[in-house]
Amino acid sequence: MAATLKEIAQRVGKSVTTVSRALAGYSDVSEATRAQVRQVAQELGYEPNITARRLQKRRTETLAIVLPTYSPRFSDPFFSEFLAGVGNAAAAEGYDLLVSTRSPGDEEEKAYRDLIRSRRVDAFIVVRTRLHDARIEILKAANFPFAAFGRIEGDNDFLFVDEDSELGLRLVVEHLVKLGHRRLAFLAAPPDLMFARYRLKGFTETLQARGLPVDPELILTGDLSQRHGHQLAGILLDRPDPPTAIVACNDLMALGAMSAVQNRGLKVGYDVSITGFDDIPPAEHAHPSLTTVHQPVYKIGKMVCQMVIDVINGREIPNPQITLAPSLVIRQSSGPVQI
Amino acid sequence: MAATLKEIAQRVGKSVTTVSRALAGYSDVSEATRAQVRQVAQELGYEPNITARRLQKRRTETLAIVLPTYSPRFSDPFFSEFLAGVGNAAAAEGYDLLVSTRSPGDEEEKAYRDLIRSRRVDAFIVVRTRLHDARIEILKAANFPFAAFGRIEGDNDFLFVDEDSELGLRLVVEHLVKLGHRRLAFLAAPPDLMFARYRLKGFTETLQARGLPVDPELILTGDLSQRHGHQLAGILLDRPDPPTAIVACNDLMALGAMSAVQNRGLKVGYDVSITGFDDIPPAEHAHPSLTTVHQPVYKIGKMVCQMVIDVINGREIPNPQITLAPSLVIRQSSGPVQI
DNA sequence: TCACTTTTCCAAAACGTTTTGGGAGTAAAT
DNA sequence: ATTTACTCCCAAAACGTTTTGGAAAAGTGA
């Protein structure tokens, strides 16, 4: 059986209190005693029972993240990287990460409420914020600590890290305009996703700022998957007046669009330019490689996690609302317009 | 503050014991008392303190899964789905899922040892088994409950679910041979991964069984990524005597191989046939769609999780070692050989 | 009435830790 | 010789639950 403080105390001939305090490094324990306690603890292979510690400290030292899965067969190249960022930051601070997956809606809200009520976790990490985000409303109402990757419509009076998607799209559009493109199409994402809004906004406003028309027929909405990217690009390309550039809301759809272009015997980056957003690993290794906006997902995961840990430990948060400036990664899938 | 049994007991005028037993459904509580306890618990919004319960029950009701991440920017379409399967099964049984990510090696082993020593979790789920799997050795040595997705070299005297990859590859090769292919190449994976072994074995043995030569020059090893698939397929295609079919160890490499073929102006499924393994979502929606072996990752996740929960609860495991028969999904990327 | 069973209840212990609020003993200062 | 200060220690309470081992009260059958 696992050793306890009590056993150490018996062996050392001191009280449990003293043993506890010796190991915790309090100064009201003599060095001799401390050394002896350490020695015996070592011998017995003592490990504190963290459940007992958690009970006494009234903390679970656990963070929750509920991944929104839009389809049963979900497979988002994005989440695994984010998870790694969050998980490593959590581990570094001695926190556990409790992960579950729910599809948005009732099930998801129930998961949040249950986790809050059962006090299983100390805080939440919310990912991929939505326009009216029930998760954030629940957390705010319960006054439960959390940090988000992304912002919401309305009061962003909570901890978040976000990339400035609007600016990201401005960089993309300006890059394409500079290459001579005038007819740009946009593969949008469901408008309840905040990042989709920002990206659409960045797209249209930059066009307008450049004095270019915003043709609603060239703005199609997909579900972020490669398949939808393929389908929607097909629709655009089969028009009598196809766009010369397709700006996708994310890399997956851009990759799908690329294959649609190639299927029609056209050359990506020459006949049609294509851009993405996220800079997932396949973007770099696609053929041609994909021009996209880099999003440091791992780093954002770390930041969000660190923030929320800081806040539950009452530490000062120097910068509770962080918006990162994106950078454009120009690769082969975007090139000068052909005339 | 959150209500406790003590408060309910005071309100009801009964002991804490009785309240606890009333809520737990013991029969030595009168129906009248039970109703009253329930009523008051409801009014106070009572939720049991899960940490206290865990301390008393000497269980953490938590499962650990450490995802092996081979690169910092890892993004495996596979894990998210597996995670969903495991997570949902765990949630259904009231278990929490503790997730972390480590790259294989010392860090990973340390994570296992730490989790075991600190008794943070009741059991482990091991994923993507390896030839000499240090994780499994550690768990066995510690006599710690676990279940694996995959087998190991040597004694498989532990809980596992695996798909019969060897059979999967037999199906693939026989399909291609039936289509007239004689020169088959294989994109293998690092041989310390068990599934890579099985797949390679299935490939070579089926060729031999069919009386076809196994040309070592046509067997190249990659890291499972799309990029490596692309590179290695390039090497094969640029040979003076290129293969007519490329059998990839997984879908990601197959997808990479497809783009290499297309880059050379060849038609996948016509000039060169390509097959994968896993049946990840992009496989279906690739162009052409990818012939592959279906792997029910979500379901396997559920099964593995259920198994390990059963075992820590002392329940009978009807089938502690499960090998699933795979099914071949024939799509457009494989076609008759051209002569 | 007695013996026996059934119903209903509960005090106390246990899980293993940390914190609180001292107290004893010794050394230094007055 | 007394006060003050410091060092080292610890009993007890607390965190909130479940389990153990009865015991009192009520009912039953003779």
Side-chain angles (χ1 to χ4, degrees):
Chain A
M1 284 295 82
T4 65
L5 288 182
K6 204 167 152 189
E7 296 178 47
I8 300 179
Q10 278 162 0
R11 287 267 210 297
V12 177
K14 292 282 153 70
S15 75
V16 169
T17 305
T18 299
V19 173
S20 172
R21 296 179 75 83
L23 292 171
Y26 281 80
S27 63
D28 63 355
V29 177
S30 74
E31 275 313 317
T33 306
R34 191 191 306 282
Q36 199 193 355
V37 166
R38 285 227 182 93
Q39 163 75 18
V40 174
Q42 170 94 43
E43 281 170 20
L44 296 181
Y46 171 76
E47 274 298 315
N49 179 314
I50 67 166
T51 307
R53 199 211 294 269
R54 285 173 180 177
L55 175 59
Q56 148 71 26
K57 294 225 168 187
R58 264 141 298 178
R59 300 261 201 124
T60 62
E61 298 166 349
T62 303
L63 269 25
I65 181 167
V66 181
L67 298 176
T69 69
Y70 286 83
S71 95
R73 293 217 60 192
F74 98 109
S75 98
D76 199 314
F78 169 96
F79 285 142
S80 38
E81 197 178 339
F82 185 73
L83 216 51
V86 172
N88 289 351
E93 292 265 11
Y95 275 76
D96 287 346
L97 185 62
L98 190 162
V99 176
S100 62
T101 61
R102 286 305 133 95
S103 61
D106 294 347
E107 282 296 304
E108 183 189 41
E109 292 182 29
K110 186 170 177 313
Y112 273 79
R113 286 188 219 280
D114 286 351
L115 285 169
I116 292 172
R117 268 190 320 142
S118 64
R119 309 196 235 40
R120 253 167 228 275
V121 298
D122 294 338
F124 280 79
I125 287 174
V126 176
V127 64
R128 190 164 278 175
T129 50
R130 308 196 269 267
L131 194 56
H132 300 295
D133 205 311
R135 304 168 295 175
I136 291 182
E137 279 165 21
I138 290 171
L139 290 165
K140 278 186 171 182
N143 206 11
F144 211 90
F146 73 99
F149 176 5
R151 289 160 283 173
I152 57 167
E153 183 91 341
D155 248 8
N156 281 294
D157 54 348
F158 52 84
L159 301 178
F160 71 80
V161 179
D162 200 3
E163 180 162 86
D164 189 343
S165 284
E166 205 179 322
L167 173 55
L169 254 112
R170 192 160 86 223
L171 299 176
V172 166
V173 172
E174 282 177 349
H175 164 65
L176 290 169
V177 169
K178 211 166 285 168
L179 289 170
H181 293 275
R182 293 294 173 266
R183 269 183 77 68
L184 311 194
F186 188 64
L187 301 185
D192 59 311
L193 297 176
M194 276 310 280
F195 78 83
R197 301 223 133 204
Y198 286 119
R199 293 180 193 178
L200 178 58
K201 187 154 174 263
F203 177 77
T204 56
E205 291 189 351
T206 310
L207 279 188
Q208 284 163 349
R210 293 281 149 185
L212 293 173
V214 177
D215 184 347
E217 299 213 339
L218 295 186
I219 299 181
L220 301 179
T221 299
D223 69 355
L224 298 172
S225 73
Q226 207 160 341
R227 185 168 60 106
H228 271 195
H230 185 90
Q231 287 176 351
L232 298 178
I235 295 173
L236 292 167
L237 296 168
D238 293 342
R239 291 174 61 95
D241 53 350
T244 64
I246 300 177
V247 176
C249 200
N250 68 328
D251 285 351
L252 243 30
M253 287 206 291
L255 260 15
M258 273 181 40
S259 68
V261 169
Q262 288 162 342
N263 271 14
R264 282 164 180 74
L266 299 174
K267 213 174 151 206
V268 172
Y270 184 82
D271 300 306
V272 183
S273 285
I274 292 193
T275 64
F277 199 116
D278 286 345
D279 197 19
I280 61 178
E284 185 182 351
H285 307 115
H287 294 273
S289 56
L290 184 66
T291 294
T292 188
V293 179
H294 184 70
Q295 179 142 249
V297 180
Y298 179 87
K299 183 176 141 201
I300 293 175
K302 271 188 105 153
M303 291 173 76
V304 169
C305 185
Q306 191 61 58
M307 260 185 172
V308 82
I309 289 177
D310 283 348
V311 92
I312 56 190
N313 287 308
R315 300 199 273 253
E316 202 62 40
I317 311 288
N319 223 335
Q321 277 92 31
I322 299 177
T323 311
L324 302 172
S327 62
L328 182 66
V329 183
I330 297 173
R331 297 208 184 94
Q332 302 160 347
S333 70
S334 58
V337 70
Q338 300 304 309
I339 0 168
Chain B
M1 284 297 81
T4 65
L5 289 181
K6 202 166 154 192
E7 295 178 49
I8 300 179
Q10 279 161 358
R11 286 267 210 298
V12 177
K14 293 280 154 69
S15 74
V16 168
T17 306
T18 301
V19 172
S20 172
R21 296 180 74 83
L23 292 172
Y26 281 81
S27 63
D28 63 355
V29 177
S30 75
E31 275 314 316
T33 306
R34 190 191 307 281
Q36 198 194 356
V37 166
R38 285 224 183 95
Q39 164 75 19
V40 174
Q42 170 94 43
E43 281 170 19
L44 296 181
Y46 171 76
E47 273 300 314
N49 180 314
I50 219 136
T51 309
R53 199 212 293 270
R54 286 173 178 176
L55 175 59
Q56 147 71 28
K57 294 225 168 184
R58 264 140 297 178
R59 300 260 200 127
T60 62
E61 297 166 350
T62 304
L63 269 26
I65 181 167
V66 181
L67 298 175
T69 69
Y70 287 83
S71 97
R73 293 217 58 193
F74 98 109
S75 101
D76 198 315
F78 169 96
F79 285 142
S80 38
E81 197 180 338
F82 185 72
L83 215 51
V86 173
N88 289 350
E93 293 265 11
Y95 275 76
D96 287 346
L97 185 63
L98 190 161
V99 176
S100 61
T101 61
R102 287 306 132 96
S103 61
D106 293 347
E107 283 296 304
E108 184 189 40
E109 292 181 29
K110 185 169 178 313
Y112 273 79
R113 286 188 219 280
D114 286 351
L115 285 169
I116 292 173
R117 268 191 318 141
S118 64
R119 309 197 238 34
R120 279 168 140 74
V121 299
D122 294 338
F124 280 78
I125 288 175
V126 176
V127 65
R128 190 162 276 175
T129 50
R130 308 197 268 267
L131 194 56
H132 300 295
D133 205 311
R135 303 168 296 175
I136 291 182
E137 280 166 21
I138 291 171
L139 290 165
K140 278 185 170 180
N143 206 12
F144 210 90
F146 72 99
F149 177 5
R151 288 161 283 173
I152 57 167
E153 182 92 341
D155 247 8
N156 280 294
D157 55 347
F158 52 86
L159 301 177
F160 70 80
V161 179
D162 199 3
E163 181 162 85
D164 189 343
S165 284
E166 204 178 324
L167 173 55
L169 254 113
R170 193 161 86 221
L171 298 175
V172 166
V173 172
E174 282 177 350
H175 165 65
L176 291 169
V177 169
K178 211 166 285 167
L179 289 170
H181 293 275
R182 294 292 172 267
R183 268 184 77 69
L184 312 194
F186 188 65
L187 300 186
D192 60 311
L193 297 175
M194 275 312 278
F195 77 84
R197 301 223 134 205
Y198 286 120
R199 293 181 193 176
L200 178 59
K201 186 155 174 265
F203 176 79
T204 55
E205 292 190 351
T206 310
L207 278 188
Q208 284 162 349
R210 293 281 149 185
L212 293 173
V214 176
D215 183 348
E217 298 213 339
L218 295 187
I219 298 182
L220 301 181
T221 299
D223 70 354
L224 297 171
S225 73
Q226 208 160 341
R227 184 166 62 105
H228 271 196
H230 185 91
Q231 287 176 351
L232 298 179
I235 295 173
L236 293 167
L237 295 168
D238 293 342
R239 292 173 62 95
D241 53 350
T244 64
I246 299 178
V247 176
C249 200
N250 69 330
D251 284 352
L252 242 31
M253 287 207 291
L255 260 15
M258 273 182 39
S259 67
V261 170
Q262 289 163 340
N263 271 12
R264 283 163 180 74
L266 299 173
K267 213 173 148 206
V268 172
Y270 185 82
D271 301 304
V272 183
S273 285
I274 293 193
T275 64
F277 200 116
D278 287 344
D279 197 19
I280 61 177
E284 185 182 351
H285 305 115
H287 294 272
S289 57
L290 183 66
T291 293
T292 188
V293 179
H294 184 71
Q295 179 143 250
V297 180
Y298 179 87
K299 185 176 139 201
I300 294 175
K302 272 187 104 152
M303 293 173 75
V304 170
C305 185
Q306 191 61 58
M307 261 185 170
V308 83
I309 289 177
D310 283 348
V311 91
I312 57 189
N313 288 308
R315 300 199 274 253
E316 202 61 40
I317 311 287
N319 222 336
Q321 276 93 29
I322 300 178
T323 311
L324 302 172
S327 62
L328 182 66
V329 183
I330 298 174
R331 297 207 185 94
Q332 302 161 347
S333 70
S334 59
V337 70
Q338 299 305 307
I339 2 168

